[in-house]
Amino acid sequence: MVPPLFLDIRSNHLVLDMCAAPGSKTFQLLEIIHKSTETGSLPEGMVIANDLDIQRCNLLIHQAKRLCTSNLIVTNHEAQNFPGCFLNRNYDAMEPDQSIDQLLFDRVLCDVPCSGDGTLRKAPELWRKWNTGTGNGLHNLQVLIAIRGLSLLKVGGRMVYSTCSMNPIENEAVVAEVLRRSGGSIELVDVSSELPQLIRRPGLKRWKVSDKGLWLVSCKDVPKSRRTVVLPSMFPAGGSYQDAVRIGDDTTDDANGISEDVQAVENPVMHEFTDEDSGFRLERCMRLVPHDQNTGAFFVAVLQKVSPLPAFQVKPRKEVDNQHVEPANQRNEHAQELQINDNEPNAADLEISPVTCEEGDSNGAQEPCDVENIAKIIPGNRKLQSRGRWRGIDPVVFFKDEVIISTIKTFYGIDEKFPFDGHLVTRNNDTSHVKRIYYVSKSVKDVLELNFSVGQQLKITSVGLKIFERQTSLAGIFASCAFRISSEGLPLVLPHITKQILRASPIDFKHLLQYRAVKFADFVDAEFGERAANLMPGCCVIVLGEGNKAATKTLRVDKSTIAIGCWKGGATLTLMVTELDRQELLERFLTRFDTEKDSSMNGNNLSNSVGDDVQDSYGNDDVEANGC
């Protein structure tokens, strides 16, 4: 939980969590964004949580549902190739009043995949699997992810790079390589004064690289046969193998026909440290070791972007060995370059939208899409993807059915302060058969509009907050409004509802939670039963009141308000929450009135009959709730 605390997040920030699953840090980020907002309002910021594994994305979505937020987008991309969604202003199909023209973030959390050796205390089985090759194999991927995160960061923004490993190849070596390539545009921030109670140790400036029992101090010491595995960026001073070529570098055989490389591996030598170090202020990194404060082991580095990144080259691992065996002219022909420049669109953003290719302009002939010419612009051998048609992922569509929207607003009396236009989305292209409607904040709305404009480059697995759901039963078909308010969306829309909402006394509220369905005539408060019978058939909201009578004054909603969704039928009021939610609400109810019962000794106004009824229910209901 430490890395998000160093991001200095505010409620208006756009935050990217590059490797988010299973979602505990994403939940932290969302909590920080929502912390200073009032009930019924939404923060200006948002979080995009990304993960490569679609199953882990589902776990992330489940985690985030507990917060009931409309300021979250979950995506499924390789972190090192996360789309920048660059908007080409010269293209006629783009909206001229687009609020954002490129997906850039105020904060980026780069908690990269790592060997996980810092989790050995809680996962001792890693002792059997761990080896030095794991960290070495992840180093290049970690560098690429960190660089991509910085390229998506706004100037002046902050990125936190973190791992749960103590291996300097995955930690300080990655940070040093990122600083080396950035050309001074990235600064390693000194955060020693932040979180003063956190015990941390400074980062390393010198280290050795271990490879198959061979300890290496510099890239000059790497055998030729291992240069595709041990990269120059793993060493404190970096460098390149082209600079490291020296006399006698070629592999030679001794009198017995055994190569020098094999001898070096079979007879490892523990080299002493030389004066070679990174040259950067790596002591500003933080190492959290288990025995300092009884935790796991972690590494955290805070980076700030002070100017746009320069264009630089990222060579795949298979190209590294070619640097010392191919002539210079051939190397230039075969090397694949990835240009990263804040002032230019990313290569992925130049990929053409399938809508542009297939849907011609009805007002005149359109030039055919020259995919071959576009492919020449894209570095390497990356294939063009069919944007907006992700296999197994439902599309994201803005819901604009004015008839249904008007019916919902009228039925629940939703006031004009609650923004509706452009904030409703669905996951079904056929809007006439929409079952669920999701609500998105303004910041998410802007990102979705940008994503549509660039050909749906974001592969979105979850977006927004489910706020309305169609009631497909027979009762729903004959109701004035077939869409009920979902449990997740109720806290958001509750302060803005003026119709179909009642305040119930504690005893009647408890009976609804206990029995799920109560006839109008069976409510203890007869006036409440009469008012419930006069509601329009369909979904309604019941708010927990105080005292033994349902208050008729204007409802005031705050963070402590407890409300439930119900369905008003012909003769009964039926609870519409899941069994798990019902048990949780019952526990909250009993906890609240257990506290009020204790304070009643000092002058609580609850009547004896209500207090006795609530007290008598503890023996049965509390056991049921705790046992569930």
Side-chain angles (χ1 to χ4, degrees):
M1 299 180 68
V2 170
L5 301 179
F6 285 100
L7 277 173
D8 187 27
I9 297 175
R10 299 170 188 173
S11 61
N12 63 336
H13 281 167
L14 268 65
V15 185
L16 171 64
D17 191 351
M18 301 191 73
C19 308
S24 58
K25 292 183 179 63
T26 303
F27 197 89
Q28 270 185 274
L29 300 174
L30 289 167
E31 277 191 319
I32 296 173
I33 286 179
H34 281 271
K35 181 174 60 176
S36 59
T37 57
E38 298 179 356
T39 303
S41 61
L42 294 175
E44 297 179 11
M46 62 163 293
V47 175
I48 293 185
N50 176 73
D51 201 88
L52 175 61
D53 191 328
I54 188 64
Q55 293 182 349
R56 286 167 60 87
C57 279
N58 293 332
L59 179 60
L60 166 64
I61 295 168
H62 178 74
Q63 288 269 43
K65 277 185 177 180
R66 295 180 294 140
L67 194 59
C68 296
T69 177
S70 60
N71 297 62
L72 173 68
I73 297 178
V74 180
T75 60
N76 176 221
H77 289 280
E78 291 180 334
Q80 67 273 25
N81 294 320
F82 191 86
C85 296
F86 184 86
L87 182 62
N88 183 1
R89 288 289 187 181
N90 297 325
Y91 185 45
D92 294 338
M94 305 303 179
E95 296 292 337
D97 57 346
Q98 189 82 32
S99 57
I100 54 176
D101 58 5
Q102 188 177 2
L103 197 54
L104 295 177
F105 299 88
D106 301 282
R107 299 290 187 266
V108 174
L109 178 59
C110 190
D111 188 49
V112 297
C114 65
S115 60
D117 56 60
T119 64
L120 287 171
R121 294 185 70 188
K122 68 177 183 180
E125 65 276 4
L126 287 175
W127 282 110
R128 306 188 198 98
K129 305 175 183 178
W130 184 89
N131 61 75
T132 57
T134 305
N136 292 351
L138 288 170
H139 169 81
N140 193 53
L141 174 64
Q142 292 164 342
V143 171
L144 292 176
I145 293 176
I147 289 174
R148 185 57 183 153
L150 290 170
S151 69
L152 295 170
L153 188 65
K154 295 178 181 178
V155 174
R158 177 179 285 195
M159 184 181 89
V160 167
Y161 174 87
S162 61
T163 70
C164 50
S165 170
M166 286 287 95
N167 186 354
I169 309 304
E170 304 177 65
N171 298 330
E172 286 89 352
V174 174
V175 174
E177 180 65 11
V178 168
L179 294 173
R180 196 175 293 118
R181 297 187 186 186
S182 66
S185 60
I186 302 299
E187 180 184 75
L188 188 57
V189 182
D190 181 8
V191 290
S192 57
S193 61
E194 300 182 22
L195 299 181
Q197 293 181 335
L198 179 68
I199 303 174
R200 84 280 311 262
R201 303 194 179 200
L204 305 177
K205 297 197 69 173
R206 297 187 297 174
W207 59 87
K208 291 174 284 190
V209 179
S210 176
D211 178 55
K212 289 188 175 295
L214 184 65
W215 288 93
L216 307 167
V217 178
S218 171
C219 65
K220 299 177 182 179
D221 302 328
V222 180
K224 182 178 176 181
S225 62
R226 302 297 299 168
R227 291 184 177 179
T228 57
V229 178
V230 181
L231 306 180
S233 58
M234 296 179 181
F235 296 91
S240 67
Y241 287 132
Q242 186 174 359
D243 300 331
V245 173
R246 60 188 186 278
I247 299 176
D249 184 57
D250 293 336
T251 302
T252 58
D253 295 342
D254 62 4
N256 297 324
I258 302 177
S259 68
E260 293 178 359
D261 286 351
V262 175
Q263 290 181 11
V265 173
E266 291 180 351
N267 301 286
V269 178
M270 181 67 75
H271 291 281
E272 296 294 333
F273 272 133
T274 64
D275 293 333
E276 178 177 296
D277 62 33
S278 63
F280 298 105
R281 304 285 301 274
L282 295 182
E283 68 275 6
R284 293 182 173 180
C285 300
M286 291 171 285
R287 285 178 161 262
L288 281 68
V289 295
H291 49 279
D292 278 344
Q293 47 202 350
N294 194 27
T295 64
F298 299 94
F299 174 87
V300 181
V302 182
L303 303 167
Q304 185 165 0
K305 192 172 187 177
V306 295
S307 63
L309 287 176
F312 56 87
Q313 298 179 359
V314 178
K315 293 184 174 61
R317 293 178 62 123
K318 63 182 180 180
E319 300 291 340
V320 175
D321 193 48
N322 294 336
Q323 292 186 5
H324 64 274
V325 296
E326 289 185 354
N329 57 349
Q330 294 183 8
R331 288 199 304 270
N332 293 334
E333 293 177 0
H334 293 288
Q336 297 179 4
E337 300 177 359
L338 176 61
Q339 298 290 337
I340 298 181
N341 191 326
D342 293 340
N343 299 322
E344 297 294 335
N346 182 261
D349 302 331
L350 295 175
E351 297 180 2
I352 195 164
S353 166
V355 178
T356 308
C357 290
E358 298 177 5
E359 298 181 2
D361 188 354
S362 59
N363 295 328
Q366 185 176 0
E367 291 291 334
C369 296
D370 194 347
V371 179
E372 294 183 358
N373 291 336
I374 295 177
K376 293 178 182 178
I377 303 176
I378 301 174
N381 298 323
R382 291 184 58 189
K383 295 181 179 179
L384 288 172
Q385 295 180 341
S386 180
R387 298 297 185 183
R389 297 176 180 174
W390 305 104
R391 179 176 297 178
I393 303 294
D394 294 330
V396 179
V397 181
F398 278 109
F399 185 75
K400 299 180 179 180
D401 192 324
E402 295 297 337
V403 175
I404 294 179
I405 294 175
S406 178
T407 301
I408 291 174
K409 293 175 68 174
T410 303
F411 184 77
Y412 295 106
I414 300 176
D415 58 43
E416 297 299 328
K417 295 180 181 179
F418 188 70
F420 251 87
D421 296 338
H423 290 265
L424 300 180
V425 299
T426 182
R427 304 304 298 265
N428 189 350
N429 275 324
D430 186 3
T431 56
S432 62
H433 293 85
V434 167
K435 184 176 181 180
R436 299 178 183 89
I437 301 175
Y438 300 84
Y439 189 87
V440 297
S441 65
K442 183 182 183 304
S443 53
V444 174
K445 170 178 170 288
D446 292 340
V447 171
L448 291 179
E449 289 176 345
L450 173 64
N451 189 43
F452 293 144
S453 299
V454 298
Q456 300 186 49
Q457 294 178 9
L458 289 176
K459 184 180 180 182
I460 298 174
T461 60
S462 177
V463 61
L465 175 67
K466 184 173 70 174
I467 188 170
F468 299 113
E469 189 166 6
R470 187 188 294 271
Q471 189 71 8
T472 56
S473 63
L474 189 63
I477 296 175
F478 290 100
S480 300
C481 179
F483 284 87
R484 64 181 180 88
I485 302 175
S486 68
S487 298
E488 300 97 313
L490 181 56
L492 177 64
V493 73
L494 181 61
H496 305 281
I497 298 176
T498 60
K499 298 179 181 178
Q500 296 293 109
I501 184 169
L502 295 176
R503 189 191 297 272
S505 64
I507 183 62
D508 285 330
F509 194 91
K510 180 175 73 71
H511 286 166
L512 276 171
L513 292 176
Q514 279 184 311
Y515 307 121
R516 300 191 66 93
V518 180
K519 292 183 178 180
F520 301 136
D522 292 341
F523 284 109
V524 175
D525 182 4
E527 182 182 353
F528 173 78
E530 183 180 350
R531 293 173 62 200
N534 293 330
L535 291 175
M536 294 286 291
C539 178
C540 61
V541 178
I542 307 300
V543 179
L544 174 61
E546 298 177 357
N548 62 344
K549 288 285 185 179
T552 57
K553 62 181 181 180
T554 305
L555 289 170
R556 291 185 178 180
V557 178
D558 55 29
K559 293 182 180 180
S560 63
T561 301
I562 297 179
I564 52 177
C566 295
W567 189 268
K568 190 264 180 181
T572 61
L573 202 61
T574 305
L575 189 66
M576 300 192 71
V577 297
T578 64
E579 179 62 21
L580 184 62
D581 289 341
R582 185 183 74 87
Q583 292 290 346
E584 180 185 351
L585 285 167
L586 191 58
E587 287 189 43
R588 289 176 61 190
F589 173 85
L590 295 176
T591 300
R592 167 180 287 196
F593 282 94
D594 188 22
T595 303
E596 293 190 6
K597 181 174 68 69
D598 293 338
S599 64
S600 65
M601 300 295 183
N602 299 323
N604 196 318
N605 293 327
L606 279 176
S607 68
N608 293 333
S609 60
V610 175
D612 292 340
D613 186 274
V614 173
Q615 184 177 3
D616 292 340
S617 69
Y618 291 164
N620 297 325
D621 295 341
D622 199 33
V623 172
E624 179 186 358
N626 291 333
C628 230

